[in-house]
Amino acid sequence: MESVLAAWQVATLGGIVSWIMISSCLNVTQKLRSLLQPWVTHYVIIGTAFILQIQKYQHKFLDSLFSGLSCVVSVPFYTGFLPLVFWSGHVKLARHMTLLMAFCDYLGNTIKDTVSAPRPSCPPVRRVTATKDEKENALEYGLPSSHTLNTVCLAGIYLGMHSLVDIIAGLALGLAVLAFWLTVHEYVDNFIISGHNVLSFWSALSFLLLFAYPTPELPTPSFEFHTAFNGVALGIVAGVHLTYYQFHHEAAPVIFSPQLSIPAFVGRILVGMPTILLVKFCSKALAKWIVPVISNTLGIPIKSTSYIPMLNAPVKGKESDKIKQSSYAQKLFFFSGQDIFDVDTGIRFLQYAGLAWSVVDLAPSVFAHLRL
């Protein structure tokens, strides 16, 4: 049985490696973009009139309402909300939600950066970006709509972030992903709980997915969002696998039960939130030291866009961003002319992996010690 499990794991990782090499050699991303981008751009342009019709009903209340709804599917919201689901005792639901969001984020952002389709033109469309998170999202490409993919909601039309074709694509992709997940989620859960080589397999998978990500036409924050969720998925899988029978089993106390009262749950929040934020800070500080050391040991030229200013290479502007996101596949297997690695990717990945691990391992251990 173990040999069969090992075989499918090797086949999965080998398939990803093969895809990275083939797509890099055959320039698959650019070829797909040349086919899809003109078609999508055409529908984005002709859909502008529809968005303008909706935005005629502009009102401050609607601005606040839809901005709030869009924040509900943002990375900061998930960072604050998912720990509460874990700590409320709904541990199976929480890990399924986390992994599904990570899957949606990777798939959606991969398609975004492959197609590199524009968002509705502003002006004439009025783009509502009331928060820093919305301003970052506005820098991404449009199709598919991540908000629709994650929540099947239509708030992004009013905000001027997406065209109708983005919404339709996000809806179709979201339904397809949901159908697929409902088919495989029990197999995934059983593997995480009691599978063989879970930590080594998921670590290798997370690493390869960073290199399998397509290069966008122009730099966007989509890869950064994927890196964060990729790290979160690894941290959740590692923590749950190691502590399932202590904290994440089917009989774990659930909120509103005698074993987990409201005061105890509030205590978990008051203790847990500072704990995971401290771990996030420490993970980032540790990663800022470890990643450059490992890179230098391996003789890999490095730079840092934001985390370690002293490592900045003498490259500026768009060229710097291009180096950050280009040809990860070529750098993995054979160095190209652009052989400077941005250590921010590794730092961000380890930072969020540490954060997620603390949610499902460290924080519950503290709760148990405090009898919460």
Side-chain angles (χ1 to χ4, degrees), residues 15 54 78 92-93 107 109-110 120-121 140 171 183 186 213 230 244 253 259 290 313 341 343 347 351 353:
I54 292 176
Y78 290 133
K92 185 174 183 179
L93 172 64
L107 186 61
N109 286 340
T110 294
S121 179
E140 294 184 285
L171 175 61
T183 303
E186 288 297 339
Y213 194 87
N230 196 6
Y244 175 77
Q259 294 79 18
I290 290 178
F341 287 86
V343 296
I347 294 171
Q351 172 188 359

Side-chain angles (χ1 to χ4, degrees), residues 286-330:
L286 187 61
K288 287 170 68 174
W289 174 73
I290 290 178
V291 175
V293 169
I294 293 177
S295 300
N296 288 328
T297 301
L298 297 175
I300 302 174
I302 58 176
K303 66 183 284 289
S304 174
T305 304
S306 57
Y307 287 148
I308 311 177
M310 66 182 63
L311 292 181
N312 283 341
V315 183
K316 299 180 180 180
K318 294 184 177 179
E319 185 64 21
S320 173
D321 289 331
K322 185 177 181 182
I323 290 177
K324 177 181 177 181
Q325 293 196 15
S326 67
S327 302
Y328 279 95
Q330 296 177 16

